């Protein structure tokens, strides 16, 4: 019984505890369980010596600025650096005024939701999609409409039909949220034709696109086209966001949004009441990592660590999983998504059995879906455990899929 219930706002009352967070808390205490659940970076990839050194230097040499309050939008010097970086690394043409630094890209999602969504507005997403984005949109009263995926990500043919239908029904579609490269949770990547089709649909029906791109720095195959949707944006309707979380360290909480100027200005106004600004010191740290070229060097250095783990997971899936399992084969990122085609197979109901009998954990897939489907699905993450542990985890999971 919560004695404070009567004090809570409608929004607070509507928030449910996150399944993943609760699950992770249980798994943490279970040393006997192999967890393929959490999608956090491998701490071996954190450049601790480098960060210790530059942090010391920044505080020593620029302490008067680095420890001071700073601009809501982000330090100008940092935004200028990011504008150059986005062009060099991803071909995105934006100037410093188009960029706002956020406290992790999760804040970016929240900011955009606050700035754009009124209750009842439609937000279109991939189905399945990133849980914390769905949560940030839902909390603002969005009606979520999920678009089916296949091995190449969002089915833009289905998107087109859905948009047509929603427009006919008089629905107000605010934006299409997409994670085009190495999607969370599905691990899928959209080929350029789909990205262009997505833009065409948005142009035709006057809809914004929110492009979330945390994983493109970890694509293990050079032939994959990772150009952002934003590089095809001729009508200023793509809001592009990314983060330092997987490249340097998530604890720094630095993300960025590149959006049309007027929109960025509005986001700035919204952000000032949230946290005044993103931690100044951490912005200087990221700026130095960009200025010196460390950031891309480091991403390239740690990418093979994740590739080895991805390979271990896919190899084990091929070796151990039965025929009735559909799974994605990610070109990068942290995740493989699995659907088990077996009547009544419910990954959420089986979670206790998975933990107690098979000693393996995954994230049940239903909550990533916008339409209540996906009871037979699960997200498997290869980012954290070492390759041999991943293999054993998949072997245990295969046993469960065959037996239960
Ligand atoms: C698709 C996606 N967007 C946003 C985030 C949030 O990242 P950040 O640490 O920058 O808040 C994540 C984190 O896992 C993610 O997978």
């Amino acid at each position: 019984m919560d004695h404070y219930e009567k004090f809570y706002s409608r929004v607070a009352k509507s928030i449910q505890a996150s399944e993943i967070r609760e699950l992770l808390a249980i798994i943490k205490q279970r040393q006997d369980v192999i967890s393929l659940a959490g999608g956090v970076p491998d701490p071996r990839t954190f450049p601790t010596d480098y960060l210790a050194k530059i942090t010391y230097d920044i505080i020593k040499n620029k302490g008067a600025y680095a420890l001071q309050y700073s601009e809501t939008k982000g330090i100008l010097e940092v935004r200028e650096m990011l504008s150059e970086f986005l062009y060099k690394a991803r071909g995105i043409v934006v100037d410093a005024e188009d960029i706002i630094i956020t406290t992790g890209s999760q804040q970016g999602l929240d900011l955009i939701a606050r700035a754009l969504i009124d209750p009842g507005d439609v937000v279109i997403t991939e189905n399945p999609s990133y849980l914390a984005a769905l949560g940030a949109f839902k909390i603002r009263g969005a009606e979520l409409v999920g678009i089916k995926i296949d091995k190449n990500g969002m089915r833009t043919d289905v998107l087109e039909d859905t948009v047509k239908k929603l427009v006919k029904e008089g629905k107000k579609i605010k934006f299409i949220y997409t994670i085009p490269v190495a999607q969370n949770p599905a691990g899928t990547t959209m080929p350029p034709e789909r990205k262009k089709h997505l833009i065409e649909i948005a142009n035709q029906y006057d809809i914004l696109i929110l492009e979330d791109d945390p994983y493109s720095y970890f694509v293990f195959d050079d032939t994959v086209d990772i150009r952002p949707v934003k590089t095809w944006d001729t009508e200023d309707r793509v809001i592009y966001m990314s983060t330092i979380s997987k490249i340097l360290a998530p604890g720094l909480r630095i993300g960025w949004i590149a959006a049309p100027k007027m929109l960025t200005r509005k986001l700035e106004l919204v952000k000032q009441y949230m946290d005044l600004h993103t931690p100044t010191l951490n912005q200087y740290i990221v700026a130095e990592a960009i200025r010196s070229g460390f950031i891309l060097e480091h991403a390239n250095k740690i990418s093979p660590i994740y590739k080895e783990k991805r390979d271990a997971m896919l190899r084990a899936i091929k070796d151990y999983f039965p025929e009735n399992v559909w799974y994605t084969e990610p070109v990068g990122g942290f995740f493989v998504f699995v659907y088990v085609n077996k009547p009544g197979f419910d990954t959420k109901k089986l979670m206790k059995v998975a933990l107690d009998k098979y000693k393996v954990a995954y994230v049940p897939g239903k909550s990533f879906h916008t339409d209540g489907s996906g009871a037979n699905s699960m997200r498997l993450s290869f980012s954290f455990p070492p390759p041999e542990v991943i293999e054993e985890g998949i072997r245990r999971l295969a046993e469960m899929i065959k037996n239960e």
Side-chain angles (χ1 to χ4, degrees):
M1 165 77 179
D2 184 346
H3 300 295
Y4 298 91
E5 189 68 26
K6 67 175 187 223
F7 297 109
Y8 295 146
S9 67
R10 269 192 294 273
V11 167
K13 280 181 189 153
S14 74
I15 303 174
Q16 308 276 321
S18 152
E19 217 169 66
I20 300 189
R21 281 184 175 275
E22 293 199 339
L23 184 68
L24 292 179
I26 298 171
I27 296 164
K28 253 194 183 157
Q29 297 155 6
R30 295 281 303 265
Q31 299 299 327
D32 55 334
V33 168
I34 291 180
S35 175
L36 305 173
V40 298
D42 184 336
R44 280 193 305 149
T45 66
F46 300 158
T48 45
D49 289 345
Y50 174 77
L51 290 177
K53 181 180 180 318
I54 65 169
T55 304
Y56 178 84
D57 290 347
I58 290 165
I59 294 179
K60 191 137 192 293
N61 302 325
K62 281 191 191 160
Y65 303 101
L67 300 173
Q68 186 56 282
Y69 285 114
S70 55
E71 253 193 275
T72 299
K73 231 175 155 176
I75 301 159
L76 178 62
E77 190 187 324
V78 183
R79 286 185 287 115
E80 282 173 347
M81 213 93 72
L82 263 171
S83 122
E84 249 177 69
F85 173 76
L86 284 174
Y87 180 64
K88 273 198 210 142
R90 289 292 173 269
I92 293 175
V93 184
V94 283
D95 61 40
E97 288 310 300
D98 303 320
I99 294 174
I100 178 164
I101 314 273
T102 56
T103 306
S105 53
Q106 188 60 38
Q107 184 185 54
L109 293 166
D110 184 29
L111 263 178
I112 287 158
R114 286 178 195 234
L116 300 183
I117 300 172
D118 283 321
D121 287 344
V122 170
V123 171
I124 297 180
T125 71
E126 281 130 3
N127 198 29
S129 184
Y130 174 51
L131 203 56
L134 301 182
F137 306 152
K138 250 195 283 188
I139 230 181
R140 299 285 145 207
E143 183 189 323
L144 299 178
V145 176
I147 305 295
K148 224 195 251 177
I149 59 157
D150 62 14
K151 294 206 168 191
N152 290 320
M154 188 194 292
R155 290 262 311 266
T156 47
D157 56 334
V158 177
L159 172 71
E160 189 164 14
D161 292 345
T162 307
V163 168
K164 240 183 241 168
K165 185 171 145 281
L166 290 167
V167 168
K168 215 169 179 184
E169 287 168 4
K171 292 278 171 74
K172 195 166 179 181
I173 309 170
K174 280 287 170 73
F175 59 86
I176 303 164
Y177 172 68
T178 179
I179 309 156
V181 178
Q183 205 244 25
N184 179 4
T188 50
T189 296
M190 280 165 89
E193 311 82 66
R194 285 211 184 165
K195 290 177 182 164
K196 287 184 210 163
H197 191 198
L198 171 60
I199 288 264
E200 279 163 23
I201 297 165
N203 285 348
Q204 187 180 347
Y205 291 94
D206 193 18
I207 304 167
L208 297 175
I209 293 173
L210 175 55
E211 178 175 28
D212 191 358
D213 183 27
Y215 298 107
S216 68
Y217 298 92
F218 307 102
V219 167
F220 317 129
D221 175 351
D222 288 345
T223 65
V224 176
D225 192 328
I226 55 164
R227 274 176 296 172
V229 176
K230 183 143 183 84
T231 59
W232 285 287
D233 180 19
T234 52
E235 294 192 1
D236 265 358
R237 60 175 73 250
V238 179
I239 304 167
Y240 173 88
M241 54 193 289
S242 188
T243 174
I244 206 68
S245 287
K246 325 291 170 184
I247 310 175
L248 288 185
L252 289 170
R253 309 308 300 134
I254 299 282
W256 49 87
I257 297 174
K261 274 183 195 55
M262 276 180 280
L263 228 157
T264 309
R265 170 81 187 126
K266 188 56 90 178
L267 296 178
E268 180 185 1
L269 296 177
V270 177
K271 179 173 160 74
Q272 64 186 333
Y273 301 116
M274 293 169 76
D275 63 354
L276 297 185
H277 64 80
T278 292
T280 318
L281 174 61
N282 297 3
Q283 291 187 54
Y284 274 111
I285 291 171
V286 171
E288 175 53 26
I290 296 174
R291 193 201 56 74
S292 64
F294 179 86
I295 196 170
L296 281 183
E297 258 170 47
H298 187 67
N300 292 336
K301 190 171 136 199
I302 64 178
S303 196
I305 296 178
Y306 291 121
K307 178 181 186 301
E308 194 191 351
K309 294 172 185 232
R310 188 274 318 252
D311 291 346
M313 182 170 276
L314 288 181
R315 211 179 315 114
I317 286 179
K318 284 187 180 121
D319 286 349
Y320 298 119
F321 272 15
E323 286 284 299
N324 59 345
V325 177
W326 185 92
Y327 59 92
T328 55
E329 296 186 58
V331 293
F334 287 8
F335 309 105
V336 171
F337 206 71
V338 166
Y339 288 90
V340 179
N341 300 314
K342 195 172 182 179
F345 195 88
D346 186 325
T347 53
K348 193 170 174 189
K349 281 193 190 144
L350 282 168
M351 198 63 221
K352 203 173 147 30
V353 177
L355 292 177
D356 294 341
K357 188 167 161 194
Y358 296 93
K359 317 272 185 226
V360 64
Y362 51 82
V363 182
K366 191 173 171 178
S367 46
F368 297 102
H369 292 75
T370 55
D371 57 358
S373 67
N376 61 335
S377 67
M378 60 182 115
R379 189 190 74 176
L380 306 178
S381 169
F382 53 80
S383 59
F384 191 81
E388 61 283 6
V389 176
I390 292 174
E391 188 192 339
E392 174 58 17
I394 293 291
R395 198 194 58 74
R396 294 181 188 183
L397 203 52
E399 286 304 303
M400 185 187 94
I401 294 171
K402 285 178 204 154
N403 297 342
E404 300 299 329

